[in-house]
Amino acid sequence: MNSTETWFVQLLEEHGVAISPLQLQQFQSYYALLVEWNEKMNLTGITEREAVYEKHFYDSVTLSFFMNMSDVSAVADIGSGAGFPSIPLKICFPHLRVTIVDSLNKRIQFLEHVVQELGFQHVACVHGRAEDIGRLPAHRDAYDVVTARAVARLSGLNELCLPFVRKGGVFIAMKGSDPAEETAEAKRSLSELRAKLTKVHHLKLPFEQSDRHIIVIDKLADTPAKYPRKAGLPLKQPIV
Ligand code: SAM
């Protein structure tokens, strides 16, 4: 193990996430693919190993510190980009059935390659806009947990993500600095979309010490048929 892997394994273990040698190897392969493909396409601004493990891998897994992942089966990751948070979560919790949605086909192609190289089963990479995919019966009101990290402000993001969540499931928005203003602005979209913000967890990244917030939103009832609106509208004209 190199020094990055040593702290990574230890800090995750302190939070009850055990990483086997195979899983550590999967993180290493994912890191290598990320750096290799990043030379051909824009996947991430962060490529130094230590930083990727902290700001992408560890950060993605923090979601699991606040929920019992063995109770979760189907996860959708909206606007996953280079695979965050869903790929690190899938490595740590291989039982998850993961659907990744992104509107940029190049990133979906990268993720399909990652899925193949890491030998994952039950990971579907879907190219399209969340507004369109969230209307398809296979994906609507279907997932236990829906995640989105660094995609958009909550008022618009609710409309992109909540249609995917099953009634009784949760939408988890992963944010950086204090989201108080955003959560206040998102009140109307939550009630329109039959959802309720139940908790905002705060944590700091272990070395960089920057703030992270994990917003937990419960879906109380099926999404009304009129949502999401036409592609583009949820972020351009959020429900406020
Ligand atoms: N979640 C990743 C992360 O934390 O690194 C990526 C964040 S990146 C800033 C936002 C991603 O959302 C991009 O890959 C973009 O293509 C995708 N995206 C933006 N709007 C979208 C939409 N309406 N439907 C699906 N994906 C979308």
Side-chain angles (χ1 to χ4, degrees):
M1 260 199 265
N2 59 46
S3 60
T4 302
E5 290 174 327
T6 304
W7 71 251
F8 186 67
V9 168
Q10 195 179 327
L11 288 187
L12 288 183
E13 203 173 280
E14 284 171 17
H15 286 95
V17 183
I19 302 289
S20 69
L22 168 70
Q23 288 164 313
L24 204 53
Q25 181 54 50
Q26 287 179 315
F27 274 113
Q28 165 54 32
S29 304
Y30 183 28
Y31 172 67
L33 290 170
L34 195 59
V35 172
E36 182 195 331
W37 283 57
N38 203 46
E39 285 173 14
K40 305 179 271 188
M41 63 175 74
N42 178 20
L43 289 170
T44 174
I46 304 169
T47 52
E48 195 260 319
R49 180 193 303 273
E50 190 82 4
V52 169
Y53 274 68
E54 180 182 15
K55 295 182 197 170
H56 285 325
F57 297 172
Y58 181 89
D59 186 32
S60 294
V61 181
T62 56
L63 184 157
S64 73
F65 301 170
F66 305 103
M67 63 194 314
N68 186 352
M69 296 306 285
S70 53
D71 293 342
V72 180
S73 173
V75 175
D77 185 17
I78 309 303
S80 185
F84 306 119
S86 49
I87 299 290
L89 287 171
K90 175 69 182 176
I91 295 176
C92 292
F93 305 98
H95 72 280
L96 295 176
R97 305 175 79 87
V98 176
T99 298
I100 289 172
V101 178
D102 202 286
S103 52
L104 208 60
N105 200 29
K106 279 189 173 175
R107 297 199 174 125
I108 289 294
Q109 283 166 358
F110 166 69
L111 290 170
E112 279 169 346
H113 185 70
V114 168
V115 167
Q116 203 174 15
E117 290 291 307
L118 270 56
F120 287 152
Q121 296 203 320
H122 308 302
V123 177
C125 303
V126 181
H127 171 227
R129 297 182 79 146
E131 297 93 318
D132 301 321
I133 309 300
R135 285 208 163 269
L136 304 176
H139 300 290
R140 195 171 177 94
D141 302 314
Y143 294 90
D144 303 317
V145 173
V146 174
T147 61
R149 191 188 83 145
V151 177
R153 281 178 81 81
L154 197 59
S155 51
L157 201 54
N158 279 332
E159 191 174 345
L160 296 189
C161 295
L162 279 163
F164 289 84
V165 184
R166 70 164 167 79
K167 182 178 159 188
V170 289
F171 164 41
I172 311 249
M174 304 180 80
K175 298 277 177 183
S177 51
D178 188 359
E181 199 188 306
E182 255 187 76
T183 53
E185 180 194 85
K187 278 201 174 115
R188 179 142 182 268
S189 72
L190 287 171
S191 66
E192 272 291 302
L193 292 154
R194 313 288 182 265
K196 186 179 176 214
L197 192 156
T198 50
K199 188 88 194 162
V200 179
H201 298 283
H202 172 245
L203 64 121
K204 281 180 187 284
L205 286 184
F207 303 108
E208 200 205 32
Q209 288 288 305
S210 51
D211 290 307
R212 292 290 184 272
H213 292 85
I214 294 182
I215 303 173
V216 183
I217 292 171
D218 286 0
K219 176 150 160 175
L220 308 174
D222 286 352
T223 303
K226 63 176 171 175
Y227 296 119
R229 291 166 293 160
K230 198 158 70 72
L233 272 186
L235 299 189
K236 260 188 246 143
Q237 292 170 29
I239 308 165
V240 286

